[in-house]
Amino acid sequence: MSVARSSVTVKTPSRPGPGQARVVVATARVFLLRFASNPIMVIRGPLGPFLVLLTFHLAYDVSGQEQVAGLDATGFLVVGMLGTLVWSSTVWGAGNALQAEIYQGTISAVVAAPQRLSSVILGYGVGSMLFNLPALAVSIVTGFLLGADFRIEHPAAALLALLCLYACCLCIGIGFGGLFLLSRQSNALSNFLQGPVYLLAGFFVPRSALPDWLHLVSDVLPISHAVDALHKTVLSGASVGQIWPQLGATALTSLIFLAGGMAGLRRLDDVVRRRGTLDLL
Amino acid sequence: MSTTTRSGSSGSAHDTTSDGGSSRLGTVACLRLVGAVAQSAARQRIRTSGIFFYALVWMAAPLFGALTVVFIYRASPDLRDYAIVAGAGLSLLFGMQYNAGEVLDEERRRGSLGNLFASPGPRYVWLAGFQLFAVGESLVAAALTVGVCAAAFGLSVSMNVLSVLVVIVLLLSCMWGFSMLVGSIGLALRDANQLSNLLFPVTTLLAGTMYPIALMPDWIQVPARCLPFGYAMQALVHAVVNDASPQELQGELLPLTAFAVVLPVLGIAAFHAVERYVRQLGALELI
């Protein structure tokens, strides 16, 4: 059988605006319902961060380190745990979004429907982040119980840094969405991208401890700068004015991921329609 | 092979047990079957992901986990050496718990679990084949983890080879039993992956892969002493770093030996119980 290759690309009419927002909300809702129906996930959500935090707290405790890069060690770990949760949402929620649709056999409907793929990915990311909110609360409470010394003198700055952390991860998620799908190894990439980023972004070890060349690699990641900003506002009482360099670096690197991701998704949409390989992905 | 059918009308269960072929297969044939299953599992894994992505998933996670801990201890040579050697334990724990624990669940997802149970080979033989693959993979990951960490941070090695071999054999026996126990529960819950995700932080906290159990607070030492991993990690570190002989490691090797006997028995019993349970439910192949 010969397959004729058409040069005509069918353009999907996109409807930016409230319609896209509804897609994000609906996708997030479906994500939450799916996860909430799994008892192990419901238990694991808040239990995991508690155990991980306790484990790393003990590691610093047995080595007699009460300060990490001039910051309270337990507080440093709590911020790192927040970063871990958001990053986990990025790779397993947003990054893995289209692969999840393939796994469920619904990718054709998602691509053919008149909405942007980025809205679906965003919905997965938001759903995953919402699902992790109890874990975030558990991390903060565990931090207090373990004696974390938080010094938030400018709550607005801390909130802004936290929002930047979430926003930059959504941008990375969109950046990864098409890449993961095109690699056909979304699960493998999601698994892989945890350990290295935990190290590079300074979640459990300060970035200042990394060799220079690794420090440079970590500068490419928006999440590294967002976590730096969160460290400063939550543990050193920094104001918005004092974290502008970190916020600026977060915004710049996030935009690169976002632009690359949007271009990649458009290309993906174009390629799968032209080649008719949607169900083979 | 043992099959159980439940009568719907009376509600009583009756067993029709048949020999699954174990008496018909000799030792050589069983060993060949073990090797064939291990080879098949390896091929399946590599074909599914490709060597690059396969290595990314199964080698990178324990490596970066161990590197993170070693970075934390960068200023404490003793703890750093401990973390590097215990990184091997972390790799074994990761590999055996995720791989060996989930292999049956993977078969179920692929729809081939029923065929495995219906095959004429004894089930513990093909199960041993899967475990052999998991052991091989975990040992490679362990060697890689220790090698990379030692190259990056340095490691004072004064190894007693006999002690290292004894510890690894006992540890693998413990892990084999433990992973079969976890795998059985995962099979019953039909979600071995999430169960592994749930249990891994618990075992990491209590296994002594990040710090010696003796340095933990008392309230954590109690549950940690109820697991074999802390004894194994301590013995492994002493054997690799301090040239400790088996006699000098008695305090760790005795409880480890007890676990190495008891855990496989518990694992087999759990597997048998779960098999009967899912057969009664008729749920072996259901997703």
Side-chain angles (χ1 to χ4, degrees):
Chain A
M1 190 177 76
S2 63
V3 178
R5 187 168 181 164
S6 166
S7 60
V8 178
T9 303
V10 179
K11 295 285 183 190
T12 303
S14 57
R15 300 182 207 155
Q20 296 300 320
R22 280 201 298 272
V23 172
V24 173
V25 172
T27 311
R29 184 171 175 270
V30 169
F31 183 94
L32 286 171
L33 287 172
R34 192 179 302 141
F35 269 51
S37 65
N38 185 332
I40 296 181
M41 288 301 294
V42 172
I43 296 168
R44 188 191 146 211
L47 185 64
F50 167 75
L51 292 169
V52 172
L53 206 49
L54 187 58
T55 304
F56 278 99
H57 171 76
L58 285 175
Y60 276 104
D61 196 42
V62 299
S63 59
Q65 300 179 70
E66 292 178 357
Q67 297 270 310
V68 180
L71 303 169
D72 172 64
T74 308
F76 175 85
L77 289 175
V78 172
V79 172
M81 197 65 239
L82 302 189
T84 307
L85 290 169
V86 183
W87 182 250
S88 170
S89 300
T90 303
V91 290
W92 288 110
N96 219 28
L98 298 181
Q99 186 66 40
E101 295 291 341
I102 292 175
Y103 184 74
Q104 289 152 42
T106 47
I107 185 69
S108 307
V110 167
V111 175
Q115 90 285 313
R116 290 179 175 175
L117 282 177
S118 54
S119 302
V120 176
I121 294 174
L122 210 57
Y124 268 86
V126 170
S128 184
M129 286 169 178
L130 289 173
F131 186 79
N132 274 336
L133 284 180
L136 192 127
V138 166
S139 300
I140 294 169
V141 171
T142 305
F144 275 114
L145 292 175
L146 293 174
D149 182 18
F150 298 117
R151 289 182 189 169
I152 304 174
E153 291 172 14
H154 301 276
L159 190 62
L160 182 63
L162 185 64
L163 288 175
C164 271
L165 178 66
Y166 278 101
C168 82
C169 280
L170 287 174
C171 291
I172 299 173
I174 290 172
F176 282 168
L179 173 73
F180 278 23
L181 191 63
L182 286 171
S183 73
R184 299 177 185 227
Q185 294 293 341
S186 180
N187 189 274
L189 283 171
S190 298
N191 271 300
F192 168 69
L193 279 170
Q194 293 181 99
V197 172
Y198 291 177
L199 192 60
L200 289 172
F203 290 166
F204 302 114
V205 177
R207 287 208 297 149
S208 56
L210 300 176
D212 289 344
W213 66 275
L214 271 183
H215 202 284
L216 283 175
V217 175
S218 73
D219 280 341
V220 176
L221 298 170
I223 194 169
S224 305
H225 305 290
V227 167
D228 281 352
L230 204 55
H231 279 144
K232 284 177 184 285
T233 53
V234 171
L235 303 175
S236 301
S239 64
V240 174
Q242 291 167 308
I243 57 167
W244 268 122
Q246 286 76 28
L247 295 183
T250 307
L252 182 67
T253 46
S254 296
L255 280 174
I256 294 171
F257 272 89
L258 183 63
M262 297 297 278
L265 288 173
R266 272 197 299 273
R267 170 83 181 140
L268 172 76
D269 188 77
D270 190 42
V271 168
V272 294
R273 283 166 191 275
R274 192 180 297 167
R275 295 186 181 171
T277 56
L278 199 61
D279 284 324
L280 299 177
L281 282 172
Chain B
M1 189 169 69
S2 169
T3 55
T4 304
T5 53
R6 168 164 272 182
S7 162
S9 55
S10 64
S12 62
H14 62 277
D15 291 348
T16 50
T17 305
S18 64
D19 191 335
S22 54
S23 60
R24 292 194 292 274
L25 286 180
T27 310
V28 176
C30 283
L31 288 175
R32 285 179 63 186
L33 188 56
V34 169
V37 171
Q39 200 176 18
S40 164
R43 279 183 181 165
Q44 174 80 34
R45 187 61 62 83
I46 289 171
R47 275 183 191 160
T48 305
S49 315
I51 289 179
F52 177 71
F53 286 105
Y54 165 74
L56 274 190
V57 174
W58 293 100
M59 307 293 156
L63 172 62
F64 280 96
L67 273 174
T68 302
V69 184
V70 177
F71 263 113
I72 291 175
Y73 295 146
R74 62 196 178 281
S76 314
D78 288 345
L79 284 169
R80 193 183 60 209
D81 284 352
Y82 181 94
I84 291 174
V85 179
L90 184 69
S91 301
L92 288 169
L93 197 64
F94 176 84
M96 294 297 286
Q97 191 163 321
Y98 277 91
N99 191 346
E102 293 171 19
V103 73
L104 290 180
D105 213 33
E106 270 182 31
E107 293 292 333
R108 183 183 55 75
R109 280 201 299 271
R110 280 198 290 266
S112 50
L113 187 62
N115 293 344
L116 269 178
F117 277 91
S119 71
R123 65 183 63 86
Y124 292 111
V125 172
W126 52 256
L127 206 55
F130 286 127
Q131 299 280 357
L132 179 66
F133 164 67
V135 165
E137 183 188 77
S138 302
L139 284 174
V140 171
L144 183 75
T145 300
V146 174
V148 170
C149 289
F153 293 92
L155 174 67
S156 324
V157 178
S158 177
M159 191 187 304
N160 186 306
V161 177
L162 178 64
S163 296
V164 170
L165 287 176
V166 170
V167 173
I168 286 180
V169 168
L170 292 175
L171 177 60
L172 286 178
S173 175
C174 293
M175 294 236 178
W176 177 65
F178 185 74
S179 62
M180 197 186 286
L181 202 60
V182 173
S184 303
I185 299 168
L187 192 63
L189 294 175
R190 299 181 207 174
D191 201 347
N193 180 259
Q194 289 303 337
L195 184 68
S196 297
N197 282 332
L198 179 68
L199 289 180
F200 192 65
V202 181
T203 46
T204 304
L205 173 67
L206 302 175
T209 54
M210 289 177 65
Y211 26 69
I213 288 183
L215 296 182
M216 294 176 176
D218 293 342
W219 62 275
I220 296 187
Q221 282 194 36
V222 175
R225 299 273 180 212
C226 297
L227 290 170
F229 312 116
Y231 301 105
M233 291 308 111
Q234 192 66 61
L236 195 62
V237 173
H238 281 314
V240 172
V241 176
N242 300 328
D243 189 23
S245 66
Q247 288 77 21
E248 290 171 303
L249 296 175
Q250 275 184 51
E252 284 83 24
L253 290 184
L254 284 176
L256 192 59
T257 306
F259 279 115
V261 173
V262 171
L263 276 175
V265 173
L266 281 178
I268 289 171
F271 181 72
H272 192 65
V274 167
E275 185 193 341
R276 286 174 63 88
Y277 170 70
V278 292
R279 280 173 186 274
Q280 282 173 353
L281 286 180
L284 201 60
E285 293 283 19
L286 295 181
I287 295 177

